[in-house]
Amino acid sequence: MSTEMNSLLAGAPHGGASVDRDAIAEIFAEIALEAAIAVMSVYTSDSHARRKADKSPVCDADEYAEAIILERLAERLPSFPVLAEEAAAHGKKTVAGSTFILVDPVDGTREFLNRNGEFTINIGLIVDGAPLAGVVYAPALGQIWIGGATATSCKIAPGATLPPIGERRAIHVRPAPTQGLTALASRSHSDPETEAFLAQLPIKERRAAGSSLKFCAVAEGDADVYPRFGQTMEWDTAAGDAVLRAAGGIVLDREQHPLRYGKAGLQFRNGPFVAWGDRKAIKPSSAADR
């Protein structure tokens, strides 16, 4: 990395306005592509699945990928504190300052264990409570989504060299279709509140999907709304949220405010949220009244 880039990144935690969002997203993408090699080696072998203290699943892929990601982040972005899912599961749930990185080494471990391909590697940058850069990589599908000041996507295999931004597909949310919205729901998590929320919208089509792929589908204009009222953690959503915001969308909390990050007092848990593509489709009471 250049001296100029090192200087920029080193100063970022004390002045978020100077962060080069696209440059950091590129670094995240390169790291995710490397970590995916380890993830896919486990995907095609014995994953040694087990349960964490909170009863959620974990396997070798989560731990191998997180080790690689943390090592590379320490080398390339040493000034940024990092909060990663598996480290947090072992008691590390603190980050200093308003600028930090969130890592989910395998988002959608259930999908990974079910071998349906709908799992992702997520890395996101938070500055002053907002996700400013993020990468979502689905190695089994060979697709990556990158969000900084702009949002792009491309097909790419684990370990491959990331093509220049000009050779990738620019993505953007779509206007809400007049014939009705396409809604996305979690493949592994459903609840009555989600059903009630969707019932009040002009839904034409509904699809199920795993992991952060739902954020990416809205970001690239393949869907319009993704509600989630069950519990999620900040590392689950930061990268996909960054991609969606870079593509022109928004993620709103129950009070209709953009979803915030760095909620240490809540152990970095998210409350209910709704991800939207076209902001004109948002109904003022739709999230706040639930």
Side-chain angles (χ1 to χ4, degrees), residues 27-36 68-69 72-73 76 123:
I27 292 171
F28 288 171
E30 292 167 3
I31 293 172
L33 289 167
E34 179 182 353
I68 292 168
I69 293 168
R72 294 295 176 260
L73 287 173
R76 304 192 64 181
I123 311 175

Side-chain angles (χ1 to χ4, degrees), residues 32-162:
L33 289 167
E34 179 182 353
I37 299 172
V39 170
M40 293 308 294
S41 70
V42 176
Y43 191 62
T44 56
S45 61
D46 186 352
S47 59
H48 299 108
R50 51 222 182 255
R51 294 281 176 177
K52 292 187 281 192
D54 64 1
K55 307 302 181 184
S56 63
V58 65
C59 70
D60 287 351
D62 298 90
E63 296 182 347
Y64 294 169
E66 183 165 302
I68 292 168
I69 293 168
L70 293 180
E71 181 177 356
R72 294 295 176 260
L73 287 173
E75 293 170 353
R76 304 192 64 181
L77 298 170
S79 295
F80 291 93
V82 181
L83 180 60
E85 179 179 15
E86 303 315 321
H90 289 93
K92 183 180 179 182
K93 283 191 179 179
T94 58
V95 286
S98 61
T99 300
F100 61 96
I101 295 169
L102 286 165
V103 173
D104 191 341
V106 179
D107 181 37
T109 302
R110 291 180 179 85
E111 323 311 327
F112 181 94
L113 296 173
N114 289 334
R115 300 294 194 272
N116 67 14
E118 294 185 353
F119 58 90
T120 60
I121 298 170
N122 296 352
I123 311 175
L125 172 70
I126 305 303
V127 178
D128 295 332
L132 292 194
V135 163
V136 176
Y137 181 40
L141 305 179
Q143 189 79 27
I144 195 166
W145 294 265
I146 304 169
T150 59
T152 62
S153 179
C154 68
K155 299 289 289 186
I156 189 167
T161 300
L162 187 69

Side-chain angles (χ1 to χ4, degrees), residues 188-199:
S188 301
H189 306 276
S190 184
D191 56 80
E193 196 168 10
T194 299
E195 300 304 319
F197 172 80
L198 291 176

